[in-house]
Amino acid sequence: MKLSLHPEFLLQSKNRRYLLAISGGRDSVALLNVLLDAGYRNLILCHLNHGLRGAESGQDASFVRRLAKKHDLACEIDRVDVAARMEQTGESMELAARNARHAFFVQCAGKHRCPRFLLAHHADDQVETILFNLLRGSSGLKGMRYENTHQMGGRKLELVRPLLLVSRSEINCYLTTHRIHYREDPSNAEAIATRNRLRNEAIPLLNEIMGREIRPALLRAAAISEAQETALRESITDLRLEDPQGRLFLPKLIKISPVLQKIVLHDYLKAGGVSGISHDLLDRCASLLQGSQASKINLPQDRFLRRKEKRLFID
């Protein structure tokens, strides 16, 4: 049995260098083996020990080292105390772990002069993401893209998901068929995180209620929504709303619909490296377009969206 890599990924040269985020679990180990079988050898394995599972976390790191040695690949391994970070910052476990991973990604990208990270997200992860975003009310029917760019630590990183069209059951079958060993993380089965509960409780219940798998319907709905959003963004690009200095030009911006204004503001903040973009933040930013007496809006990380001389820009 073989797993299919994303068609867009297959268009890239097999000699291209990639940083592979690997936990030692089933998904990232499956991705590694699929890449090697397909002839991708210019890989650097990147593993971050979160220190959340005691000795087992250390064993995960050792497992990744052995994989790198077995396949003659470069390897980057680091450790971070996520629990201590949670105490210091007040972040949730999920947020603290994600921010720690992002910092590690930036470190690896700088050391190896490579901005491209391969992530092992698959179709079932996509369903969980779509449902999570929908229930949170922040992004509508929106999932992960095969490839997107993020500003992390002042560096632009490309996140690529070659297995995004592959299901969890296909991955399990692949690993069993080829007798591939991986590290099992028992916390994935525990009801300790929102995504775990969606995976282990909510989605099976929805399948039972509907009398069929909900995954195809959610993936199809998200694909339709993404196509519509792409069309909107293409129409926005044609409007040329930024001046040569990269600032938003207010006289043009106020002439488009409020829906398009929010999309423009969202993309402008994201391109500027602003994190934690919520509906509330976008509403406050949009107030600068409506003649608000305020001339600036507070952004995360002690930054501002400022209105001056018929321009909007991040300060």
Side-chain angles (χ1 to χ4, degrees):
M1 178 192 178
K2 292 185 178 181
L3 296 182
S4 300
L5 294 167
H6 198 285
E8 293 184 39
F9 184 75
L10 293 173
L11 296 176
Q12 305 300 320
S13 168
K14 292 184 179 180
N15 295 321
R16 202 178 196 196
R17 173 177 290 181
Y18 290 102
L19 303 168
L20 172 56
I22 183 166
S23 65
R26 67 180 65 205
D27 301 336
S28 56
V29 169
L31 176 56
L32 170 62
N33 280 271
V34 173
L35 291 169
L36 293 173
D37 287 345
Y40 294 86
R41 302 293 311 181
N42 198 359
L43 304 173
I44 299 164
L45 305 189
C46 301
H47 175 86
L48 181 63
N49 178 351
H50 295 87
L52 291 171
R53 295 167 48 235
E56 289 191 2
S57 292
Q59 291 166 10
D60 291 344
S62 297
F63 177 72
V64 171
R65 282 195 187 92
R66 291 196 298 272
L67 281 177
K69 184 176 181 180
K70 174 183 177 181
H71 298 293
D72 194 25
L73 299 174
C75 183
E76 290 293 336
I77 293 180
D78 202 354
R79 187 183 188 283
V80 64
D81 191 336
V82 169
R85 180 183 178 119
M86 291 166 62
E87 288 187 13
Q88 293 169 0
T89 64
E91 297 170 334
S92 67
M93 184 176 69
E94 291 172 276
L95 182 59
R98 183 171 73 244
N99 287 339
R101 282 195 300 275
H102 287 179
F104 176 59
F105 287 176
V106 170
Q107 173 186 325
C108 293
K111 179 176 179 179
H112 293 279
R113 298 183 180 181
C114 177
R116 293 173 297 278
F117 261 93
L118 301 183
L119 307 179
H121 295 127
H122 50 71
D124 291 73
D125 292 325
Q126 181 76 304
V127 169
E128 293 162 17
T129 300
I130 293 167
L131 195 56
F132 179 74
N133 286 337
L134 179 63
L135 295 175
R136 189 173 57 173
S138 61
S139 304
L141 278 169
K142 187 174 182 180
M144 298 174 284
R145 293 181 179 272
Y146 151 71
E147 180 179 11
N148 55 4
T149 301
H150 280 275
Q151 285 282 350
M152 299 179 188
R155 185 180 292 273
K156 188 175 289 187
L157 298 186
E158 301 168 23
L159 305 183
V160 184
R161 301 173 176 88
L163 294 182
L164 196 57
L165 302 180
V166 176
S167 70
R168 179 179 289 120
S169 61
E170 289 175 309
I171 290 174
N172 290 341
C173 185
Y174 171 81
L175 292 169
T176 301
T177 300
H178 295 279
R179 299 181 180 180
I180 297 171
H181 297 289
Y182 58 88
R183 295 281 299 171
E184 187 68 77
D185 182 354
S187 67
N188 287 333
E190 298 175 4
I192 56 174
T194 303
R195 286 183 177 273
N196 283 10
R197 297 197 66 185
L198 286 174
R199 177 187 312 130
N200 301 316
E201 300 175 30
I203 292 177
L205 179 59
L206 288 171
N207 289 338
E208 180 184 335
I209 291 171
M210 296 304 296
R212 64 178 185 273
E213 280 280 339
I214 65 168
R215 178 167 60 90
L218 281 175
L219 292 174
R220 185 167 56 251
I224 294 170
S225 178
E226 181 179 337
Q228 293 171 339
E229 188 175 314
T230 299
L232 285 175
R233 282 185 161 82
E234 288 175 354
S235 68
I236 288 171
T237 300
D238 293 339
L239 296 175
R240 303 192 181 197
L241 297 173
E242 293 187 21
D243 66 12
Q245 288 73 43
R247 302 170 299 179
L248 290 173
F249 187 50
L250 272 175
K252 284 188 176 182
L253 190 56
I254 61 176
K255 290 181 180 179
I256 65 177
S257 73
V259 172
L260 293 180
Q261 288 174 355
K262 292 284 184 67
I263 293 176
V264 171
L265 289 170
H266 175 277
D267 290 355
Y268 186 74
L269 295 178
K270 185 176 180 180
V274 177
S275 60
I277 304 173
S278 63
H279 278 293
D280 176 65
L281 177 60
L282 291 176
D283 285 339
R284 289 189 285 113
C285 290
S287 70
L288 293 177
L289 280 61
Q290 310 303 325
S292 168
Q293 291 185 351
S295 62
K296 65 180 182 180
I297 297 296
N298 293 336
L299 300 175
Q301 295 101 36
D302 296 322
R303 303 171 75 189
F304 304 96
L305 180 68
R306 192 180 298 275
R307 182 186 65 203
K308 186 177 181 181
E309 297 176 352
K310 298 183 180 180
R311 304 290 193 277
L312 284 184
F313 55 93
I314 296 173
D315 209 357

